[in-house]
Amino acid sequence: PEGKVTVLDIDTVQISNNGSVMFPSKAMTPEYIPPEIKKIQNGDKVPVEWDRFILSLIFYEVLFGIHPYAGNGFKAPYTNSTTIKDNISNGLFPFGQKSQYFNNIPKPHLNFKNIPLKVQNLFINSFEVDISNTHKRPTAEEWGKTLYTMIKEGQQLAAQKNIVEEQQREKDWQNCNKNSIQSLLEFRKKYNNQGKYTQKALQLINDIRTKNNQSTSNTAVTTKPTTQTQTTNTSYSNSELKKRVNRSLTYSILFLIIPNIIINLFFMIIYGEFELKWLFFSTISLNLPNLVLKITAIFAIIFSGIAKSRYNNYNYSKCEKPLKTAKVFKWITIILTGLYVILRMID
């Protein structure tokens, strides 16, 4: 938590002087011992290539989240290779010369094919060299230069991609209909409302809305529009249309609740069951006529919601039809409620 680096494990430590080992390594972690351990006798100097093997191994773990020699269930003659130490000793690297002996390669290894070829080769040169040619393992300097080059190339590719994307964005902006709210909205959606052009689009949308509100606030439009820039084909201004849309949604919700309360209250009076819970729910609410009432009210809510959504997306000209449809369903709810009560009274 304090940001301090802590060394958790140090082994294979030796002290030497002029090539002579004064203090040989006494402890080793099996999963990090290279295959040449076979020819190193107790007391021999551990070569630097040993560290290069471990360095590449740790890089592999960092990149893929798995030990480079992790795996099991091998084909003959490696059926008895059951630990990572055994796999290292047998040279069972999933992307080496013995890859055909793997029955199943663990999934994290498969990301190896997604990294740059130069980095793949560094890993292969680390894990596939013969124990007599360990000097071919890449040094820390080789790793550093290769990774630095890869990062630089990646940055250049990213910069080129950004240039191409910016050119396409500018082209789309030039082709965008600046007088159409719908066209401006589509442009903003395509580019996730990000960038200078989408900000310009938002400003134009606000300007068009303001202009339309000003042109329709004093006089009502009584004829259908003849151009795309007019926002509505009704005799209402945008502010009035907003009130109608909100009112339609509110009334539709009330039409789902109020008829149910009226019918339940009616039967509470008839049967003398004055309990608050029956005001909102009773077995009467479950019969077919009352369910029909609920369905018509729900349809009114749905079409009012469609009108609300279209208004919020500036599709003013498409608000009228769902508003009229919602109004029809509300009238159906009123008529059915009245008929239902009258019929039950007669009954």
Side-chain angles (χ1 to χ4, degrees), residues 9-15 23-29 32-34 37 40 46-47 50-51 54:
D9 188 350
I10 296 182
D11 57 17
T12 325
V13 174
Q14 65 182 2
I15 299 174
F23 179 82
S25 173
K26 298 290 185 181
M28 301 177 186
T29 305
Y32 294 84
I33 301 175
I37 187 67
I40 296 178
V46 175
W50 186 303
D51 288 333
I54 298 174

Side-chain angles (χ1 to χ4, degrees), residues 11 30 58 71 94 111 117 122 160 222 226 249 271 283-284 290 304 307 314 326 338-339 344:
D11 57 17
I58 292 173
N111 291 314
L117 188 59
L122 288 179
Q160 291 173 1
T222 57
T226 57
L249 186 59
Y271 297 115
T283 54
I284 300 299
N290 211 355
S304 296
Y314 311 108
L339 286 174
R344 292 308 300 256

Side-chain angles (χ1 to χ4, degrees), residues 312-344:
N312 291 339
N313 288 313
Y314 311 108
N315 294 330
Y316 302 130
S317 61
K318 295 183 179 181
C319 289
E320 192 65 24
K321 189 173 181 179
L323 281 176
K324 289 181 177 178
T325 307
K327 187 175 182 180
V328 169
F329 277 110
K330 282 182 282 187
W331 273 108
I332 291 173
T333 306
I334 293 173
I335 294 169
L336 290 179
T337 301
L339 286 174
Y340 181 66
V341 172
I342 292 170
L343 290 173
R344 292 308 300 256

